[in-house]
Amino acid sequence: MTRKGVATRQRIVEGAAAEIRERGIAETTLDHVRARTGTSKSQLFHYFPDGKDQLLLMVARYEADRVLTDQQPQLGDLTSWPAWQGWRDRVVDRYLTQGMDCPLSGVIAQLGRTTPGAAAVVSELMTRWRSEIAAGIRHMQEIGEVDPGLDADRSAKALLAGIQGGVMVMLATGRIDHLEAALDMGIESLRR
Amino acid sequence: MTRKGVATRQRIVEGAAAEIRERGIAETTLDHVRARTGTSKSQLFHYFPDGKDQLLLMVARYEADRVLTDQQPQLGDLTSWPAWQGWRDRVVDRYLTQGMDCPLSGVIAQLGRTTPGAAAVVSELMTRWRSEIAAGIRHMQEIGEVDPGLDADRSAKALLAGIQGGVMVMLATGRIDHLEAALDMGIESLRR
DNA sequence: CGGTTTTTGGACTCACAGGTCCATTCTAAT
DNA sequence: ATTAGAATGGACCTGTGAGTCCAAAAACCG
């Protein structure tokens, strides 16, 4: 594949992701992607021979990566209480900005049970996300700010679940307060 | 509408709900619903003149009701720590049994942004669910088992978010541990 | 009963989205 | 410069699934 080829391919994935974010997964057709990215049918199937499902899977990967990179550098540096607060603000801000669209949830709802790859993308995202949070908790335990008796992994799971649910509630209702409550209470429960 | 009519209508909604639970929203067509419920095209459009979207909305309502009724009577009687534990087990059990399908999330992903009604169904579900949890917390405060300084609504929001996220993680990855961690830590944070 | 409305069956239409194909143009390497 | 392989344009095909329509059967009501 030539340089031009990879550029086109990338353009297609990003365009598809943007299109899905805007119109939702159910309403996005290949023609929409075509129009937005200025490509032809043949290009779509040239770069994604397995068709729409394959493209959607690539979009899922792309969006999954974004979820974590959008939280950096804060997520990777949970080494003080102000840092935790900064991360918390970052997460809230991201979803506030993004508004009521979660590209991933849509893609998963569509591919989830059929395509095995889609579930793997989310699984990996959750694992990485949780382990970053857990690392932060362990660091706080080491510097004596968190009870060393706490199960860091379990707390990370609960906190992550709270975030996910908070985002979900926001997507469905437009309200950010559940996400804030989950984050704040999750962090508070560490401090004691 | 005659008695026979309402029965048919009900049969269609329940059949559609079951079909969606089994095959997923993206794969469910009106013909599938037809086949399962033993109805004809004309019946579908007789009872749901606005077509598929209207039917889906009814399914969403039906499933939203089920979510809460499936948690009764425990959810309505959070009056002691064993009762909380019983509720927690009930929730875990329900989602464990149900497996990796959340009819609502799919329906929302499909209708969410387009149909205003779909978002309303979820909003109302969340509100009712949260207020039941909050009522439980307040009761525990009244009998002196929970710190009266705690903001019951805020705690309920966080706990609900944890449940939602736990379910979501389970749907995506098949793992129940996030849901358990969220529930357990949420309840623990009340006890102290 | 008789007339009226509701319910039902199923054939039909139609738009559209995914996917195929081939001809043409461009890229890059020798 | 030539040539093989990659990239592109766009016409075309096709299955399918939502939605329409009319006529027949059943239910209701006086």
Side-chain angles (χ1 to χ4, degrees):
Chain A
M1 196 189 286
T2 70
R3 200 174 312 167
K4 194 179 178 186
V6 300
T8 302
R9 194 186 148 100
Q10 185 65 15
R11 202 172 79 241
I12 293 173
V13 171
E14 286 173 14
E19 199 70 20
I20 289 172
R21 255 178 271 133
E22 286 175 21
R23 348 170 72 86
I25 179 96
E27 305 295 321
T28 299
T29 72
L30 291 184
D31 276 342
H32 292 137
V33 176
R34 249 178 24 69
R36 172 185 282 255
T37 60
T39 49
S40 68
K41 244 344 177 6
S42 71
Q43 281 171 289
L44 258 43
F45 285 86
H46 180 68
Y47 294 108
F48 306 96
D50 293 339
K52 196 181 188 183
D53 280 2
Q54 188 185 0
L55 172 57
L56 287 161
L57 190 54
M58 299 313 287
V59 170
R61 275 208 244 280
Y62 171 79
E63 293 286 3
D65 275 345
R66 270 179 42 125
V67 168
L68 287 184
T69 55
D70 281 3
Q71 292 178 59
Q72 297 300 352
Q74 286 88 342
L75 177 58
D77 188 49
L78 297 172
T79 53
S80 68
W81 292 125
W84 279 82
Q85 190 62 26
W87 169 64
R88 174 259 189 228
D89 290 342
R90 183 73 180 259
V91 171
V92 169
D93 196 54
R94 188 223 145 122
Y95 286 102
L96 211 47
T97 308
Q98 179 183 280
M100 293 183 59
D101 52 43
C102 181
L104 270 185
S105 75
V107 172
I108 294 313
Q110 174 118 349
L111 297 182
R113 83 192 57 209
T114 56
T115 316
V121 170
V122 182
S123 281
E124 200 206 319
L125 169 61
M126 292 303 154
T127 302
R128 288 204 285 160
W129 198 341
R130 191 194 62 215
S131 75
E132 294 228 45
I133 296 173
I137 296 176
R138 283 201 201 87
H139 185 274
M140 296 304 275
Q141 286 176 320
E142 278 162 24
I143 63 175
E145 289 285 339
V146 164
D147 172 15
L150 206 74
D151 183 337
D153 262 313
R154 185 155 156 274
S155 294
K157 279 178 199 166
L159 187 45
L160 179 55
I163 296 172
Q164 295 306 313
V167 170
M168 211 219 89
V169 171
M170 164 156 195
L171 295 178
T173 69
R175 296 175 51 176
I176 194 82
D177 52 351
H178 288 71
L179 176 58
E180 289 178 326
L183 273 165
D184 290 338
M185 299 216 55
I187 295 174
E188 272 168 36
S189 84
L190 296 176
R191 293 186 93 137
R192 286 176 292 165
Chain B
M1 196 189 286
T2 71
R3 201 175 311 168
K4 195 179 178 187
V6 300
T8 302
R9 195 187 148 100
Q10 185 65 15
R11 202 171 78 241
I12 292 173
V13 171
E14 285 173 15
E19 198 70 21
I20 289 172
R21 256 179 269 132
E22 285 174 21
R23 353 168 69 87
I25 179 97
E27 307 294 321
T28 299
T29 72
L30 291 184
D31 277 342
H32 292 138
V33 176
R34 253 184 14 76
R36 173 185 280 253
T37 59
T39 49
S40 68
K41 242 348 175 7
S42 71
Q43 283 172 287
L44 258 43
F45 283 86
H46 179 69
Y47 294 107
F48 306 96
D50 292 341
K52 196 181 188 184
D53 279 3
Q54 189 184 2
L55 172 56
L56 257 43
L57 190 55
M58 299 314 286
V59 170
R61 276 207 244 278
Y62 172 79
E63 293 287 2
D65 276 345
R66 271 179 42 122
V67 168
L68 286 183
T69 55
D70 280 3
Q71 291 177 58
Q72 297 299 355
Q74 287 87 345
L75 178 58
D77 187 51
L78 298 172
T79 54
S80 68
W81 291 125
W84 280 81
Q85 189 62 28
W87 170 63
R88 174 259 189 228
D89 291 341
R90 183 75 179 260
V91 172
V92 169
D93 197 53
R94 188 224 145 123
Y95 286 101
L96 210 48
T97 308
Q98 177 182 284
M100 291 182 62
D101 53 44
C102 180
L104 270 185
S105 77
V107 172
I108 294 311
Q110 176 118 346
L111 296 183
R113 84 193 57 211
T114 56
T115 316
V121 171
V122 182
S123 281
E124 198 205 322
L125 170 61
M126 292 302 153
T127 302
R128 287 204 284 160
W129 198 340
R130 192 195 62 215
S131 76
E132 295 231 42
I133 296 173
I137 296 176
R138 283 201 200 88
H139 186 274
M140 295 305 274
Q141 285 177 320
E142 279 162 23
I143 64 175
E145 288 286 339
V146 165
D147 172 16
L150 206 74
D151 182 338
D153 262 313
R154 187 155 155 273
S155 294
K157 280 178 198 168
L159 187 46
L160 178 55
I163 295 172
Q164 295 306 313
V167 170
M168 210 218 90
V169 171
M170 166 160 192
L171 295 178
T173 70
R175 295 175 51 176
I176 194 83
D177 52 350
H178 288 71
L179 176 58
E180 290 178 325
L183 273 165
D184 290 338
M185 298 216 54
I187 295 174
E188 272 169 35
S189 83
L190 296 175
R191 293 186 92 138
R192 286 177 290 164

